[in-house]
Amino acid sequence: MKKVLILVVILVIPSVAYLILHTGKNNFKKLEILGPKEPVQKTVDGKTVMDTVYHTVGGFSLIGADGQTTTDAVAKDKISVVDFFFTTCTTICPRMSNNMMKVQYEYRTDPDVISLSFSVDPDTDTPTALSAYAKQHKATPGKWYFLTGDKKQIYDLARNSYFVTAMAGDGGPDDFIHSEQFVLIDKEKRIRGFYDGTDVMEIKRLNEDIRMLQFEYSNASEIK
């Protein structure tokens, strides 16, 4: 019995302490909503009040590692971790993919958390190439999606939806994006964090933010 109590203390106390430190007793600190925002007026109970409309990431229709069309429907009501990579990269991408593999493992039993990896070299990264890469990194189908397809669509997503680069470009033959950024997207398709996907400490921060986001949804559900 004593051993059981000790085990409970070891497992429970750190989690409770984490939530208290980050949320307070009755309130919790929400992750910031990032990206452009616009103040708007709306009528509530006959009164005009101000509200804020936040940037949301755009939809997509691309090809998955299985060769089938994959749309943004896979991310509906999910928390998503997103990156842009290419399979033949020998610099930052291997570290990014290894860290994304760790994120997948961390939330392997949680159906609400998925990963989306968009190829910035879709001509080379065919579904066959993506399938081999996915197997190499132990990607679970339906959990970690590898996406290829129209380059202009992918580059527009990178620049104008996920903001992984500030460099201008048109998605043409000479355009190329190479970013180490992981982007955390909530269930409403809003950006909640940016992280260096090559940095282990940044991945730790990402995992903490995912837990905070999960707690935010859990708390909202309890209030309802």
Side-chain angles (χ1 to χ4, degrees):
M1 184 65 180
K2 186 176 181 180
K3 289 183 178 180
V4 172
L5 289 174
I6 293 174
L7 182 59
V8 169
V9 170
I10 292 174
L11 293 176
V12 174
I13 294 300
S15 298
V16 173
Y18 176 84
L19 291 177
I20 290 175
L21 287 172
H22 287 76
T23 69
K25 186 175 180 180
N26 297 312
N27 301 301
F28 62 91
K29 179 182 178 182
K30 291 185 178 181
L31 293 177
E32 186 179 357
I33 300 173
L34 305 177
K37 55 187 176 182
E38 180 182 355
V40 295
Q41 287 186 343
K42 66 179 184 180
T43 302
V44 178
D45 296 331
K47 296 181 180 180
T48 299
V49 297
M50 296 301 298
D51 196 5
T52 302
V53 175
Y54 293 95
H55 169 80
T56 56
V57 297
F60 60 83
S61 180
L62 296 165
I63 307 299
D66 59 0
Q68 301 299 309
T69 298
T70 303
T71 72
D72 54 293
V74 299
K76 180 178 173 60
D77 297 324
K78 306 287 185 184
I79 295 169
S80 306
V81 181
V82 177
D83 74 341
F84 290 79
F85 83 113
F86 58 108
T87 63
T88 57
C89 170
T90 58
T91 54
I92 61 174
C93 298
R95 281 179 287 163
M96 292 168 61
S97 295
N98 286 337
N99 283 330
M100 190 69 85
M101 184 165 56
K102 294 174 183 176
V103 173
Q104 177 191 240
Y105 183 80
E106 183 76 17
Y107 300 96
R108 61 194 180 280
T109 61
D110 189 335
D112 284 347
V113 181
I114 64 170
S115 299
L116 303 174
S117 291
F118 295 90
S119 171
V120 296
D121 185 14
D123 289 338
T124 300
D125 289 339
T126 62
T128 300
L130 291 183
S131 179
Y133 194 85
K135 290 177 182 177
Q136 178 185 348
H137 290 85
K138 299 180 175 60
T140 301
K143 188 71 174 174
W144 184 0
Y145 296 86
F146 290 86
L147 302 163
T148 188
D150 180 64
K151 182 178 179 181
K152 287 184 179 294
Q153 181 182 170
I154 293 170
Y155 277 49
D156 181 65
L157 285 169
R159 287 193 168 97
N160 301 315
S161 275
Y162 295 99
F163 304 125
V164 298
T165 179
M167 294 178 62
D170 61 0
D174 298 324
D175 192 8
F176 190 71
I177 291 174
H178 202 201
S179 172
E180 76 287 352
Q181 294 292 312
F182 281 8
V183 190
L184 178 61
I185 307 297
D186 67 17
K187 295 182 180 183
E188 286 72 47
K189 299 185 176 182
R190 303 171 302 189
I191 298 174
R192 306 303 290 270
F194 291 96
Y195 314 84
D196 183 340
T198 68
D199 188 324
V200 174
M201 294 306 296
E202 283 283 278
I203 301 306
K204 179 180 179 182
R205 182 170 71 88
L206 167 61
N207 283 328
E208 290 174 350
D209 284 355
I210 291 173
R211 286 191 286 271
M212 288 292 292
L213 194 51
Q214 289 174 316
F215 185 73
E216 178 181 323
Y217 283 116
S218 174
N219 191 76
S221 176
E222 288 177 5
I223 291 176
K224 290 179 181 179

